[in-house]
Amino acid sequence: MHSLTFVIGTGRSGSTALSRILNSHPDVLSLNEFMASVGDAAFPEGRLTGEEFWQSLFRPAPHFDRMIRSGLPLPEFLYTRRPGKYAAETTGIPAISLMVLPHLTDDPDGLLDELDAAVVQWPEGTAAEHHRALFGLLCARFGRTAVVERSGYSTGWAAGLRATFPDARFVHMFRDGPDCALSMSRHPGFRTISLLREIKTRAGVESLADLKDEHVRSLPADLSPLLGERFDPALVSDRDIPLRTFGTLWSELVTEGTEFLSRLPADQRTTLAYEDLLDDPAAELTRIAEFVGVAPLPQWLLTASALLDHSRRGSARKLSAAALDELRESCAPGTRVLAR
């Protein structure tokens, strides 16, 4: 039986580097951006057949395909760097192929076919049972014993994951607020998230799924095209979005993550600050390895340190004094929560 750990956080916090580091451990199955890829679609209520479960993993994520078609792919999209037989323009890229499978293998199409052949034959089960079986299948395939899923912008999924996997462990990873918010402001995914949040606010809806035609018609011309099958990428890349928007988002997310973690038993939770990881990678990775249930192998610790990018630290200090003050102010609620 494999252990299961979820790394939750804001994104832009060094967590992609953490996925690469964990992937280099011979006992860790690193599920990179699994939740970001399949989302709630893979966790329906009730029971589903193996075929239905497989479709929830295989079905392309429409919002990601739209971004690719519009010339705004995210740097996290691994599949599009070495294209295979699927494309956003034609077939759509299977959800699990975009970021999860290329992180595990150089032949994501081959692994997809292997999983397809096995999973569609599974009997009915709950989403939790199917996921456990999938993680077990991948552990057996790659000779791993501990599963670690890590997605950026993932604090919103934490409560549902806890309900689905009550024995799972959780790591809340975070980074200095102004540095993280500045990184968000330059990232096409977080710029898109910010604009979609604005659309929901303007329309007065909780979810984009609740948008009606009249909502879309009432949106300004620089927002409504983002909901179409293809849009001008300049609508995202060139729009002036105040930095404080991202500071506020960072504060919301670290508050959500901290409050979630506080409700867990002590042996199922820990935190990881990106700055601590940079300062003492051996100590922090030893602690995280033991938490997820693997040995902190000396050679792994040595190799892992080389995967960390120290140049990103303190990036917000290059802003003007006024811009930095405003950004710090928008990050202050989250900073206070982390300092408790």
Side-chain angles (χ1 to χ4, degrees), residues 58 146 211 253:
F58 183 86
L211 284 174
L253 297 175

Side-chain angles (χ1 to χ4, degrees), residues 20-311:
R20 284 198 291 269
I21 287 167
L22 290 169
N23 197 39
S24 70
H25 193 293
D27 296 323
V28 175
L29 178 77
S30 171
L31 294 180
N32 173 62
E33 305 280 10
F34 180 83
M35 285 305 301
S37 300
V38 304
D40 296 330
F43 292 88
E45 296 282 323
R47 300 176 70 76
L48 59 163
T49 64
E51 173 64 39
E52 288 166 336
F53 175 62
W54 178 248
Q55 283 307 314
S56 73
L57 307 177
F58 183 86
R59 197 178 301 117
H63 51 293
F64 288 151
D65 271 357
R66 275 202 299 272
M67 293 183 85
I68 296 167
R69 281 196 300 270
S70 302
L72 199 72
L74 301 187
E76 291 81 0
F77 293 170
L78 300 178
Y79 188 87
T80 51
R81 295 184 197 174
R82 296 174 59 181
K85 63 182 178 183
Y86 299 98
E89 290 285 358
T90 51
T91 55
I93 298 170
I96 200 172
S97 294
L98 193 54
M99 297 180 279
V100 182
L101 300 187
H103 181 69
L104 296 173
T105 174
D106 290 336
D107 181 18
D109 287 347
L111 182 54
L112 185 79
D113 291 343
E114 268 183 61
L115 293 175
D116 183 352
V119 175
V120 295
Q121 297 182 50
W122 288 352
E124 272 196 0
T126 62
E129 288 166 345
H130 282 303
H131 277 90
R132 282 284 189 187
L134 176 70
F135 301 159
L137 181 63
L138 286 167
C139 279
R141 167 72 167 71
F142 290 99
R144 311 296 169 104
T145 57
V147 178
V148 183
E149 191 282 336
R150 194 281 322 165
S151 290
Y153 191 61
S154 52
T155 54
W157 279 303
L161 291 170
R162 165 80 175 149
T164 306
F165 306 108
D167 298 329
R169 301 163 199 174
F170 287 84
V171 180
H172 179 209
M173 187 173 186
F174 48 82
R175 177 187 179 192
D176 172 77
D179 284 358
C180 190
L182 181 61
S183 182
M184 287 175 173
S185 76
R186 295 167 172 169
H187 186 274
F190 280 88
R191 293 180 67 80
T192 303
I193 285 166
S194 171
L195 297 174
L196 294 176
R197 280 163 60 96
E198 184 179 339
I199 287 172
K200 287 192 287 189
T201 301
R202 283 173 178 267
V205 296
E206 287 289 314
S207 161
L208 292 174
D210 299 330
L211 284 174
K212 304 277 194 301
D213 287 347
E214 57 267 28
H215 291 140
V216 178
R217 281 196 297 272
S218 70
L219 291 170
D222 58 353
L223 284 177
S224 56
L226 298 177
L227 301 168
E229 284 305 301
R230 193 187 295 266
F231 56 83
D232 180 353
L235 291 172
V236 174
S237 55
D238 296 355
R239 188 184 173 106
D240 182 23
I241 307 174
L243 262 181
R244 65 176 176 274
T245 302
F246 298 98
T248 301
L249 176 59
W250 177 84
S251 282
E252 281 180 29
L253 297 175
V254 295
T255 300
E256 187 174 39
T258 302
E259 289 178 350
F260 166 75
L261 218 66
S262 71
R263 298 190 291 269
L264 298 182
D267 63 344
Q268 286 182 258
R269 59 182 158 99
T270 194
T271 57
L272 178 62
Y274 179 57
E275 290 72 23
D276 291 346
L277 184 59
L278 293 180
D279 288 342
D280 196 346
E284 289 301 287
L285 291 172
T286 294
R287 188 174 63 80
I288 293 300
E290 290 169 348
F291 180 75
V292 306
V294 298
L297 305 171
Q299 186 56 47
W300 171 70
L301 292 174
L302 202 63
T303 319
S305 302
L307 295 171
L308 293 167
D309 177 9
H310 291 257
S311 68

